[in-house]
Amino acid sequence: MLAAFFVITAFQNKPEENPLLTEWNTPYNIPPFDKIKAEHFMPAYLEAIKRHTAEIDAIVNNPEKPTFENTILAYDNSGELLEKVSAVFSNIQGTKSNDNIMSLAKELSPLVSRHFNDISLNAGLFNRIKAVYDAKDVSSLNPEQKRLVSEIYKGFERGGANLPESKKAELKIINEEIAALHLAFGQNLISETNNFRVVVDNEKDLKGISSSLRYAAAERAKKANLPGKWVFGLDNPSIIPFLQQSENKDQRKQILDAYLNRCNNDNNNDNKDVIKKLISLRLKKARILGFENFAQYQLDDRMAKTPEAVYELLDKLWEPALNSARNELKDMKAIADSEGFKGDLGPEDWRFYFEKSMAKKFNLSDSELRPYFK
C-alpha cells in the first residue's frame, strides 16, 4: 500500500528534513516547489493532522470556562500547518498532476475527510462553542468578534453538530463517500483533459494562430515526441486562444466538442455514474440535516437563501441576457458574411468571430486585442 510506504517514510524523515514541515526562507513565503517531492506529502499530512488534533483536544479539555479567546479564537487559529500543506498539495494537483500525485490524493482523501468529520462532529468542542455563542450578546465582544462566533457556530450547526449520535455516524460515512466522489470527479476531468490533443502537421492549418501560441504548441509536440508538429490541448491556456484565433473551423469544432464532452465518453474517465451517486448522497445529507433537498441546504447560508429566489433572479436575467447574445450574434454574423461564411454560426465559431467583432467595434488592432498571444 502506498500509505504504508509513506507512513514508514514519516518515521525515517525528521521533520526538519521535510520542506513542508520547515519555515520557508523564500520571497513572499512562497513554497519551495523545487525542493518538494511527492513523498514529502504523506508525512507532512500525518504530522499536520496530529498537530491539529492536539490543538482541538487542548480546547476541548481546557478546564477553564469557555471564552472567546480560549475557544473561538483558539479554534480559528488551529490547523495552520494543515492549511499550509493542503494549499501546496492542491496547487500541485491543479497544475502539475501525475499518476503519483493522483494515487496519493486517493490515499489522503479518506484521512483528511475523517479528520474534519471528527472535528465538526466533536460534541465537546461544539458544547464549548455553543456556550460562547449563547453568551455573545451579553458579553463585551466587539462586532467583528460576535460575527466570528456566529459564523463558527453556524458552521458546526450546518455540519451536523446538533444531530443525535446515530445520525452523526451516518453523516460521517456520507461525508467520506462524497469526498471520495468529488476526488474521482476531479481526477477523471484531469485525465480526460490531459488525454486529448489536436495534432497539426501542416503549417497551413495554423493560419490565424499567433507566434506565441504556435511556439507553445511546438514545445508541447516535442514533449509528446512529435517534433516538427504542433499540439493543442483542452487546458485553458491552449484551447481558449485556439478557439479565438484558428481559422480552421473543423479543428475548432473538434477541440470544442472534445472539451464539452469531457468525462461523457463511456470510458474509464466517465463521470455520469459519479454524478448520479453524488446527487443521491447529497440528497441524503440534506435530509439528515433537515432540508428537503441539497439546493435548500446549500443556499441556506447564502445571500439567495432559497432555490426559488435563485430562479426568480435568473428569470429576470434571462431576457436581457438573450437580447445581449442576439446583438453579439448579429455583429458577428455580419463579419462572417462579409468574409464569405455560409450558413449559421456554430458554437465553435463564437469566440473566433467575437474577437473580430470586438476589434471592429472598438477599432482595435490585432496586437491591441491580443497582447498576450502575439
Side-chain angles (χ1 to χ4, degrees):
M1 288 290 292
L2 185 61
F5 167 77
F6 282 121
V7 170
I8 293 172
T9 306
F11 288 100
Q12 291 176 338
N13 289 350
K14 296 179 181 179
E16 62 269 23
E17 296 174 345
N18 189 328
L20 291 167
L21 299 176
T22 61
E23 293 295 325
W24 298 336
N25 185 23
T26 56
Y28 307 105
N29 205 33
I30 295 173
F33 289 106
D34 58 322
K35 298 179 181 178
I36 296 172
K37 301 178 181 178
E39 57 263 30
H40 291 139
F41 281 106
M42 182 60 80
Y45 265 101
L46 292 175
E47 177 64 23
I49 289 173
K50 178 182 175 182
R51 292 187 195 180
H52 195 195
T53 301
E55 291 165 349
I56 297 300
D57 288 344
I59 297 171
V60 174
N61 297 322
N62 190 335
E64 298 179 2
K65 177 183 176 180
T67 65
F68 176 83
E69 286 75 16
N70 69 22
T71 300
I72 302 299
L73 192 60
Y75 170 75
D76 194 48
N77 289 331
S78 68
E80 182 179 354
L81 178 60
L82 185 53
E83 289 182 9
K84 171 183 172 181
V85 174
S86 297
V88 177
F89 187 68
S90 177
N91 184 290
I92 290 178
Q93 268 190 295
T95 60
K96 201 176 180 181
S97 187
N98 54 42
D99 289 343
N100 287 338
I101 294 297
M102 294 174 78
S103 296
L104 181 55
K106 291 178 181 177
E107 298 272 351
L108 287 169
S109 177
L111 294 177
V112 176
S113 178
R114 197 171 301 126
H115 171 67
F116 282 108
N117 269 332
D118 289 342
I119 293 175
S120 64
L121 298 173
N122 185 314
L125 177 61
F126 179 64
N127 287 338
R128 289 185 66 90
I129 290 172
K130 188 176 186 301
V132 180
Y133 175 79
D134 289 342
K136 74 180 188 306
D137 292 331
V138 295
S139 67
S140 60
L141 300 180
N142 62 39
E144 290 79 11
Q145 291 171 328
K146 289 181 179 181
R147 170 75 173 174
L148 181 60
V149 173
S150 294
E151 290 303 305
I152 288 178
Y153 175 80
K154 290 176 184 177
F156 272 79
E157 195 173 43
R158 281 176 56 78
N162 274 324
L163 293 173
E165 290 304 317
S166 60
K167 291 296 182 181
K168 285 183 180 180
E170 185 178 358
L171 186 60
K172 282 184 178 182
I173 295 173
I174 290 175
N175 284 340
E176 289 186 25
E177 290 178 350
I178 287 176
L181 288 169
H182 280 166
L183 178 64
F185 184 97
Q187 291 195 341
N188 287 342
L189 193 60
I190 290 173
S191 296
E192 199 85 330
T193 300
N194 291 342
N195 290 342
F196 180 86
R197 63 191 184 191
V198 169
V199 180
V200 177
D201 53 14
N202 189 334
E203 193 167 3
K204 293 180 180 179
D205 290 327
L206 296 176
K207 190 175 181 181
I209 300 294
S210 64
S211 58
S212 62
L213 186 57
R214 290 189 187 201
Y215 176 81
E219 289 298 305
R220 185 177 295 211
K222 290 178 183 177
K223 292 180 180 179
N225 293 319
L226 296 169
K229 299 182 180 182
W230 297 266
V231 171
F232 300 91
L234 299 181
D235 52 299
N236 283 344
S238 184
I239 186 174
I240 291 178
F242 184 87
L243 290 172
Q244 291 171 330
Q245 300 173 22
S246 175
E247 296 188 17
N248 190 315
K249 178 181 173 67
D250 290 339
Q251 289 181 346
R252 292 202 308 268
K253 179 173 174 54
Q254 180 187 3
I255 199 169
L256 181 62
D257 285 349
Y259 182 84
L260 295 176
N261 284 289
R262 288 176 301 169
C263 302
N264 186 30
N265 297 300
D266 298 321
N267 55 21
N268 291 335
N269 297 322
D270 198 280
N271 268 336
K272 288 191 288 292
D273 284 341
V274 175
I275 293 171
K276 289 178 183 177
K277 292 175 183 177
L278 269 174
I279 290 172
S280 176
L281 287 170
R282 283 176 168 182
L283 179 59
K284 288 181 181 179
K285 177 175 180 174
R287 289 181 173 171
I288 287 175
L289 294 170
F291 297 88
E292 290 184 17
N293 53 60
F294 189 75
Q296 287 184 351
Y297 167 74
Q298 194 73 357
L299 291 167
D300 182 58
D301 66 340
R302 308 289 176 90
M303 185 172 66
K305 294 297 182 184
T306 66
E308 292 76 17
V310 172
Y311 282 116
E312 183 181 354
L313 176 61
L314 291 176
D315 287 342
K316 291 178 181 178
L317 293 174
W318 182 244
E319 280 303 324
L322 276 181
N323 289 334
S324 178
R326 291 187 186 106
N327 290 332
E328 289 180 358
L329 179 59
K330 182 180 178 181
D331 293 340
M332 292 187 291
K333 188 67 167 63
I335 293 175
D337 289 346
S338 71
E339 295 181 352
F341 185 94
K342 302 297 182 182
D344 296 328
L345 295 180
E348 68 277 3
D349 302 314
W350 196 277
R351 286 185 180 270
F352 181 72
Y353 284 105
F354 183 78
E355 286 282 292
K356 291 175 175 286
S357 173
M358 290 299 99
K360 181 178 180 181
K361 181 177 291 187
F362 298 107
N363 195 27
L364 296 174
S365 68
D366 192 54
S367 60
E368 289 172 320
L369 186 63
R370 301 185 312 212
Y372 302 107
F373 299 141
K374 294 304 288 179

